Amino acid sequence: MPFDVSAVPNDIWFEIASFLDLKEVLSLEATCKFLREVVSDKVVWLKRLRALDQDHAPNLPRQVSVSDLSWEELRILVVRAHRRRLNCTGPAPTRPTRETTIRIGSVNSDVAPGGSYGDVKDMKLLPGGALLLVLRSEGDLQCWTVPGGECLWSYRPHASSDTQRLKVCSFTYDMQVDGDVRVLAVSEFADRGAHERTLEIFQFSPREKTPVSLYKRRLECLNKMNGQVKVARLSGDVWAACTMYDLIVTFWKEDRSVVIRDRFFQDVHLVNGYLIGVFGLYENKSVIAFQISSMRNIQPSASAQRATQILTLEHDIPYTSCPIPHTPVSQWSAAKLSICTFHWKSGAERKRKGIYITMSVDIRSTETPRCFPALDSFLLKTTADTGGVLEDGENDQLPSITHLERPGTIILDPQLRGYSRVSRPSQAGSAVMHFYDSAPVNDPPWVVWMLATISCEGGMEYRTLDMPRSARVKMESYSGALYFVADDAKSIVIQYLD
């Protein structure tokens, strides 16, 4: 007697599907129309999305609510997360699954000094992959649609004098729940003798082509005398910027700034009510975290100029830190962080997991002229009964930072002498690294691009990538997409690994 699959209640099929791996669920889906309809239930894919761990972190920006997604969207997130992990660590070579090219034109095809690549000085692919912010070498900031390639707007800061021109030197963004985007742009005068910098926050909607200014200030603590703006962050009513010597945190709706002096911050993130960063020099580096509310509650003194408070980390702000491990024969140089908050999981599970920190760092040997990159992992959790990190950082206890002892130091091939670039890692623990060969007969030297991924068992797996020699490859945190300026300096190529 043939078995009637429709006679089994859907709840039983849901339970059966929960014991199957993804490949088996997809096979079940292809069996017959009835089972395809069963597997097409939102319950099935929501449970699979919630079960994904950091290694399979989905391409889901934090501002997107899981409950608003359809079963088709949930299915795509789960399937692509597994496909990306397999593409990065599986037995087959790593190859892009799809590619998009955005024609942005070019004003100057020559590589400008200061780390620019052709006419593009910097670029950021926004979470969701639909928008691309491009900073041109002449100082204009542009927004392009992906994959359409339409320039929505071009921003050039306005100077009060006609004799001097402002140009954007650094920028960042903050995605809003309604789909709008806030952009923070730090501008400076093209004249090298002018030390002032201007900071502006504006907001735009992808449906409109005119950004609206929300905040604009000139801050003395942000001027050129304090060094280059290494990184800037924006989250809600808070922005933070690292100069060569200071960390500046501003509550821009209150027009009030707090400055931490002489701590040599290299990178910072604003997430869940915490500021997470890495500071220190050479072998004395630490990952640090403190609650933003501890700064917000400090009121400026009556003598503070223009509501700017100068603080010291040790005496004024309670914080927690974890030293970055190093070996006696190496020094840890520039470091970059990415944050994974497990925002696709349920509230209780998200708090239990805490905040996962992946760090890409340059290691320079103290015994030989060689240098090499590494990926390392840390975990931020509170010591409260919840065992995790509260959503807004408003808890009475300081969080703890733990080194996960999963170092991913790469072992160089003898034919490769060091590297010159390492990307900011993705939330799933991958980064792109740029090596060059040691053979003196090759002029210019061969260039080798590698994709490094922290493996589940510890250590690091790396794969050779087919990339242009002159490209500077960046990685989008959520999707793990790779993007770079093409050799013609007139296009930006976006490659997806999922």
Side-chain angles (χ1 to χ4, degrees), residues 210-228:
T210 306
V212 178
S213 180
L214 303 177
Y215 170 85
K216 188 173 184 178
R217 273 288 301 272
R218 288 185 182 178
L219 293 175
E220 183 179 349
C221 56
L222 198 62
N223 65 26
K224 290 185 182 180
M225 299 297 290
N226 291 309
Q228 177 186 6

Side-chain angles (χ1 to χ4, degrees), residues 100-102 104-106 108-111 115-124 132-136 421 449 467-474 482-494:
T100 298
T101 300
I102 306 299
I104 62 170
S106 178
N108 178 13
S109 60
D110 297 329
V111 176
S116 303
Y117 10 97
D119 185 42
V120 178
K121 185 177 181 181
D122 196 8
M123 53 187 172
K124 288 181 172 65
L132 178 70
L133 295 179
V134 178
L135 177 58
R136 312 303 287 253
R421 297 164 192 158
W449 285 99
M467 294 287 178
R469 171 196 295 274
S470 60
R472 177 172 293 182
V473 182
K474 306 191 75 172
L482 312 177
Y483 54 107
F484 53 90
V485 178
D487 285 338
D488 63 2
K490 299 179 181 180
S491 306
I492 294 177
V493 179
I494 306 171

Side-chain angles (χ1 to χ4, degrees), residues 447-494:
V447 174
V448 180
W449 285 99
M450 290 186 177
L451 175 71
T453 303
I454 295 179
S455 66
C456 302
E457 297 77 20
M460 187 161 68
E461 299 185 21
Y462 61 100
R463 311 292 190 83
T464 302
L465 297 173
D466 183 14
M467 294 287 178
R469 171 196 295 274
S470 60
R472 177 172 293 182
V473 182
K474 306 191 75 172
M475 175 173 279
E476 199 278 313
S477 177
Y478 293 101
S479 65
L482 312 177
Y483 54 107
F484 53 90
V485 178
D487 285 338
D488 63 2
K490 299 179 181 180
S491 306
I492 294 177
V493 179
I494 306 171

Side-chain angles (χ1 to χ4, degrees), residues 192-204:
R192 297 192 178 187
H195 296 295
E196 287 187 341
R197 287 193 176 110
T198 299
L199 183 143
E200 184 170 3
I201 298 174
F202 54 89
Q203 182 167 317
F204 73 94

